[in-house]
Amino acid sequence: MRRWLVALALAGTVVMLLGGCARPHGADGDLTDDWPTLREPKMFIPATDACLPRITAVVQAGTYETVDCARSHLAETIHVGIFTDPAIDAGPRPEAGTPVLRVARAECDQRAREVLGGDWHSARLSLTIALPSTSAWASGARWYRCDLSETDSIDNTRPVNRVGSLRGAMVGDSPLTHRCFDPKLIGANLNYMAPVLCTEPHRAEFVGVYTERDMTWAEFIRSNQKVHRRCMGLIAEFAKVPNNSELPYRAGSIFYPPSQREWDEGDRGVRCFLWSDDRKLTRSMRGAGPKGLPAS
């Protein structure tokens, strides 16, 4: 009797198992064609028109973070471009401060001007390029990110926290724009430029930016006199005085070139300042003319 019960129990089990394998009504018996197609994984690309709580030269998808531009942030992504040069595509990931990034920096520079409404060199701003990680590059990522940041001063280009987007920040009378300065000297050497109101006593004023010709960094640092003459031309135009032999008796120049890293990436924007050696100024020299900026 016990054997019979066991046999019935086993038989019932087999029936149940076999019943589990029976084809339901309307099924075709193919277990491979009814699953939804899996989506192909998408390559991570950072967002544009987004603000960032921190600045990184390399962007990792796992730690990528954005914040509302109405909140405190350190940078704003104004553009994300794609490398299209086959030589770049086939090679290793470009490194910061290398000529390979010239095309990217030129594109970032143009986009920055469009977003700001002016030349970022003329203001307390910095423009940096961020790249994918080496592993992402090896997996096919070919993007570069253009980030704008507000800086502390012309001398201290460390990014500072700000609230609000930089879009349109250079339209009109912008507080970011370089204006008048009272340079602090150590002996005959410039230590730093203290920003002041143009109605306060000062000896220097920002007059503009010129684009230097293409040359190596070593060649540029040997070209001080040529840079000085280019800036003197901007001073004459700014102050509306003749660019002649009397100009050196009216004013001198101070200039700020890009950093070597920026230069090697293709930035050629040189910032020029009027320098008054013999007297303090208490107004802007814009359009001052020969009487406002006399030869002495």
Side-chain angles (χ1 to χ4, degrees):
M1 185 68 177
R2 181 175 298 174
R3 289 182 180 177
W4 179 246
L5 289 174
V6 172
L8 283 176
L10 290 173
T13 301
V14 172
V15 169
M16 290 176 64
L17 291 175
L18 291 176
C21 293
R23 183 183 301 175
H25 177 70
D28 59 8
D30 190 338
L31 298 179
T32 63
D33 66 351
D34 294 325
W35 294 95
T37 303
L38 294 177
R39 296 180 180 177
E40 291 189 11
K42 289 186 176 180
M43 184 72 67
F44 165 75
I45 299 178
T48 190
D49 296 323
C51 289
L52 310 170
R54 57 186 174 274
I55 300 173
T56 57
V58 174
V59 183
Q60 302 278 359
T63 57
Y64 177 68
E65 182 183 4
T66 63
V67 297
D68 191 322
C69 291
R71 295 171 53 193
S72 179
H73 57 273
L74 271 181
E76 182 173 350
T77 299
I78 56 165
H79 178 63
V80 176
I82 302 295
F83 290 107
T84 58
D85 186 338
I88 297 177
D89 183 65
R93 187 199 66 188
E95 297 298 329
T98 58
V100 180
L101 293 181
R102 285 190 175 197
V103 172
R105 178 164 279 278
E107 177 68 15
C108 290
D109 182 273
Q110 181 59 38
R111 294 303 181 107
R113 293 167 191 258
E114 294 171 1
V115 168
L116 293 165
D119 184 352
W120 62 274
H121 295 91
S122 301
R124 290 186 294 104
L125 296 168
S126 66
L127 178 64
T128 55
I129 300 172
L131 298 167
S133 65
T134 52
S135 59
W137 184 272
S139 298
R142 293 296 181 268
W143 52 262
Y144 56 88
R145 192 180 74 183
C146 312
D147 297 335
L148 270 176
S149 300
E150 180 179 340
T151 61
D152 185 63
S153 68
I154 184 71
D155 294 293
N156 181 5
T157 57
R158 177 183 59 84
V160 296
N161 282 285
R162 64 170 281 118
V163 173
S165 171
L166 285 166
R167 186 169 293 277
M170 293 189 67
V171 176
D173 190 20
S174 171
L176 296 174
T177 302
H178 297 312
R179 289 187 176 84
C180 295
F181 298 83
D182 193 26
K184 305 302 179 182
L185 306 178
I186 297 180
N189 297 316
L190 176 64
N191 186 22
Y192 68 95
M193 299 261 277
V196 297
L197 295 174
C198 290
T199 53
E200 297 177 358
H202 61 275
R203 291 186 182 274
E205 183 173 1
F206 176 72
V207 298
V209 180
Y210 82 86
T211 302
E212 184 55 90
R213 66 182 179 86
D214 197 19
M215 65 178 83
T216 66
W217 176 253
E219 290 172 326
F220 174 75
I221 61 177
R222 293 194 299 266
S223 304
N224 282 353
Q225 286 304 311
K226 292 181 180 179
V227 177
H228 167 68
R229 287 194 292 271
R230 292 289 298 272
C231 284
M232 291 295 278
L234 288 183
I235 290 169
E237 182 180 352
F238 179 85
K240 296 295 185 270
V241 296
N243 186 0
N244 57 19
S245 59
E246 289 188 342
L247 183 59
Y249 298 98
R250 299 181 190 276
S253 79
I254 297 172
F255 55 89
Y256 277 70
S259 67
Q260 183 175 356
R261 177 185 61 80
E262 292 168 332
W263 184 274
D264 289 340
E265 290 177 357
D267 186 2
R268 296 293 184 269
V270 179
R271 302 163 178 88
C272 298
F273 299 79
L274 177 152
W275 160 245
S276 176
D277 182 38
D278 59 343
R279 63 190 175 102
K280 291 269 190 176
L281 307 172
T282 54
R283 54 158 288 193
S284 170
M285 289 294 100
R286 182 185 292 275
K291 290 184 178 180
L293 190 63
S296 58

